[in-house]
Amino acid sequence: MSVALGLNRPLVVRTTLVGDPGDLLARLPEAAPYAWIRHGEGLVAWGEAARVAVPPGPRRFEWARDWLSDTFGEAHVDDDVGAPGSGPVAFGSFTFDPDAQGSVLVVPRVVLARRDGRAWLTTLGEERLDLVTPLRDPGRIRYGDGSLTAPEWEHAVARAVRQIRSGRLEKAVLARDLTATAEREIDVRLLLSRLASRYPGCYTFSCDGLVGATPELLVRHTGETIESLVLAGTASRGTDEADDMARGAALFASEKDRYEHTCAVESVREALAPLCSELKVPEEPELLVLSNVQHLASPVTGRLSAGASVLDVVAAMHPTAAVGGTPTETALGVIRELEGMDRAGYAGPVGWIDARGDGEWGIALRCAQIEGRGARLFAGCGIMGDSAPAAELAEAQAKLRVMQYALEG
C-alpha cells in the first residue's frame, strides 16, 4: 500500500475558518481544478498532495476505502472547524464499469469550502499563492459522432426494446456519446461557471477532467444520516407555462415513466436496506423541474448502522437501475452488447469524502471528459418495452445540450 500512496511522509493538514470567499469557483486557478458546488455552497480545490489510480475489479471501493484510511490515518490534522468537508478531503471519480481502468482518488493540496453560513480553508503542506487568471473562451466548437451515429444509436434502442419485450429484462439504460473539438484549449473553470450559473440546483462537479452538472445525488453521508435522490422518468420543458405544466402532468401520469421510476427506487431500497437501521422511501415521486428537462424524483433518507463509510454506501448502490437497468446483471450485458463504447466515468460515482467518512457522491450525468482541446460528451436514456427510438434520441439530444451550452455559452 505504501507504494500506491506516493507519499514520502505523512500529510500535514490545517483547516481554519475564513471570511466569506464569495463565488467559490472564481477562486480556482486554471490547473486541474476540483469542484462540488450546489446553490453556491460546497467545495473547490486545487493541487495534488496525494493521488492514486484505483485498481479495477469488484473490490475497488473497498480498496479505495483502505487507501484513504491509510492516507488520512497517518496525517497530522489541525482542524478548527470539525464539519463535513473540513480536514483532509479526497475527490474521486469511478468508472461506470468495475472492470474498466480510470478510477481515481485525489487529495488536493488546497480546499476552499462554504456550508451553512461558514467558510473554511484547508491546506496540506506549506501554504502557497496560486495565481487566478481570467477565464478563457475555447472559441469555435466542432462536433462529431461518438461511438455510434444517431441512426445507429436508434437501431441499438430498437434492439434493446425487442429484448425487453421478449422478457429477457425490464429496463436497460443506453448511453450515447458525442465528440467536440475546440479552437483553443478548454478552460474547465469556464465550463464550471456556466454550469453552476445555469443549473444552480444541480451538483456542478470537476474531478480529473470529468466535468458536469448532475441532478442525481447518489448519497450524502453526514454522521450516521444518509440521503439519496432517485431520478428516473424524463420529459422536456414546455414552450410556455401551460405547455410546461401539461408535459409535467403527462410525465407524472405516464405508465412507462412511472414504472421506470419504480424500478430505480426499488434498486436503491434493496441496496440501502442492509446498511441502514432506518430507511424512509416515499410512496409517490415528486416532479423535479430543471431548466432543460423535468424528472420524476424520490428523496430517500436513512440512518446507517455504525461504522459505515460513504464509500460503503456508494459500493452498495452502484450501479442503480437509473443508470444501468433491471435486472442489473442482465442490463449490464445488454449495455456492453449494444452501446459499442466504454462509458469511462460517465454514469459512475463522482464526489468527495473526508477523514470521518462523510461526503457527497453523485452519478456523473450531464457531463463531459475534457482533455486539452477535446471533449467527449455523454447522455443516456432509460429504455423500456414501449420506448420509441426517435423519442429516446430526442431525449438524449436534450441532455447533451447541457454540456454543449457549457462549451459554447
Side-chain angles (χ1 to χ4, degrees):
M1 186 69 68
S2 60
V3 175
L5 292 176
L7 300 172
N8 296 322
R9 57 185 183 276
L11 299 173
V12 178
V13 185
R14 173 80 170 128
T15 299
T16 57
L17 288 168
V18 296
D20 189 339
D23 182 1
L24 290 172
L25 293 172
R27 297 302 188 98
L28 283 170
E30 186 172 352
Y34 298 86
W36 181 267
I37 298 292
R38 181 173 183 264
H39 290 309
E41 293 202 336
L43 297 80
V44 297
W46 56 94
E48 292 184 3
R51 176 191 183 93
V52 71
V54 179
R59 297 172 62 86
R60 58 184 179 152
F61 294 107
E62 182 180 343
W63 191 97
R65 185 194 62 202
D66 291 344
W67 184 86
L68 288 168
S69 178
D70 285 351
T71 304
F72 291 160
E74 296 176 357
H76 301 303
V77 181
D78 185 2
D79 182 359
D80 293 341
V81 179
S86 70
V89 169
F91 282 76
S93 168
F94 288 82
T95 57
F96 174 81
D97 189 330
D99 294 327
Q101 300 279 351
S103 300
V104 65
L105 287 170
V106 177
V107 180
R109 188 173 49 78
V110 182
V111 180
L112 181 62
R114 179 171 54 225
R115 179 174 176 152
D116 299 330
R118 294 195 298 171
W120 59 88
L121 179 71
T122 299
T123 56
L124 286 77
E126 297 180 4
E127 293 191 39
R128 192 174 87 198
L129 180 64
D130 292 272
L131 181 63
V132 178
T133 57
L135 302 180
R136 292 184 297 100
D137 190 278
R140 187 170 60 90
I141 308 294
R142 291 185 293 105
Y143 295 100
D145 287 322
S147 303
L148 299 176
T149 65
E152 288 171 340
W153 193 79
E154 286 185 288
H155 180 64
V157 171
R159 291 176 62 191
V161 168
R162 287 196 294 271
Q163 295 198 39
I164 293 167
R165 289 178 178 175
S166 75
R168 184 184 176 195
L169 72 166
E170 297 177 74
K171 171 189 173 182
V173 179
L174 292 185
R176 181 166 186 248
D177 63 341
L178 191 70
T179 64
T181 305
E183 283 186 83
R184 295 179 287 276
E185 187 167 335
I186 298 169
D187 187 341
V188 166
R189 300 172 305 161
L190 179 62
L191 308 189
L192 293 172
S193 177
R194 287 171 173 170
L195 291 170
S197 176
R198 186 150 182 170
Y199 306 101
C202 292
Y203 297 86
T204 298
F205 63 87
S206 172
C207 181
D208 200 42
L210 187 65
V211 180
T214 180
E216 190 142 357
L217 177 68
L218 185 62
V219 60
R220 176 185 294 117
H221 180 297
T222 308
E224 294 181 353
T225 302
I226 58 169
E227 305 167 59
S228 182
L229 182 63
V230 184
L231 303 181
T234 305
S236 58
R237 295 294 304 272
T239 55
D240 55 35
E241 184 176 356
D243 184 32
D244 209 35
M245 292 180 64
R247 293 186 187 210
L251 174 63
F252 207 80
S254 165
E255 183 177 345
K256 176 256 186 189
D257 288 290
R258 288 294 291 266
Y259 183 66
E260 179 184 348
H261 188 80
T262 298
C263 289
V265 170
E266 287 307 307
S267 75
V268 170
R269 188 200 303 269
E270 291 173 8
L272 290 181
L275 295 174
C276 292
S277 58
E278 178 183 325
L279 188 64
K280 295 180 181 178
V281 182
E283 294 184 3
E284 290 279 320
E286 57 192 47
L287 198 63
L288 176 65
V289 180
L290 303 175
S291 61
N292 61 324
V293 293
Q294 307 179 63
H295 293 293
L296 294 179
S298 289
V300 176
T301 59
R303 184 169 294 277
L304 281 182
S305 303
S309 158
V310 67
L311 283 182
D312 296 318
V313 183
V314 171
M317 294 182 69
H318 178 73
T320 67
V323 294
T326 308
T328 301
E329 289 306 316
T330 305
L332 294 180
V334 171
I335 288 170
R336 295 186 183 105
E337 176 188 343
L338 299 181
E339 276 187 359
M341 69 175 186
D342 177 6
R343 289 189 178 187
Y346 169 74
V350 62
W352 62 270
I353 178 174
D354 66 19
R356 289 169 288 269
D358 289 336
E360 292 180 305
W361 290 76
I363 299 175
L365 306 174
R366 318 294 196 273
C367 63
Q369 186 70 44
I370 308 298
E371 185 173 352
R373 295 170 50 235
R376 186 178 175 212
L377 287 61
F378 300 91
C381 299
I383 311 303
M384 307 291 289
D386 57 353
S387 291
E392 300 299 339
L393 179 63
E395 180 181 322
Q397 289 171 333
K399 292 173 177 177
L400 286 168
R401 280 197 286 272
V402 172
M403 288 309 299
Q404 288 177 307
Y405 163 76
L407 287 166
E408 299 170 13

Coordinates of all heavy atoms in Angstrom, one line a residue, residues 2 74 249 273 328:
S2 N 2.0 1.2 0.7 CA 2.9 2.4 0.7 C 3.3 2.9 -0.6 O 3.5 4.1 -0.8 CB 4.1 2.2 1.7 OG 4.9 1.1 1.1
E74 N -2.6 8.5 8.8 CA -1.2 8.9 9.1 C -1.1 10.4 9.1 O 0.0 10.9 9.4 CB -0.3 8.3 8.1 CG -0.2 6.8 8.2 CD 0.6 6.2 7.1 OE1 1.2 7.0 6.2 OE2 0.8 4.9 7.0
A249 N -47.5 17.1 -16.1 CA -48.6 16.2 -15.7 C -48.6 14.9 -16.5 O -48.9 13.8 -16.0 CB -50.0 16.9 -16.0
A273 N -31.1 -1.0 2.3 CA -31.7 -1.7 3.5 C -30.7 -2.5 4.3 O -30.8 -2.4 5.6 CB -32.9 -2.6 3.0
T328 N -30.1 -6.0 -12.9 CA -28.8 -5.3 -13.1 C -27.8 -6.1 -14.0 O -27.3 -5.5 -15.0 CB -28.1 -5.0 -11.7 OG1 -29.0 -4.2 -10.9 CG2 -26.8 -4.3 -12.0

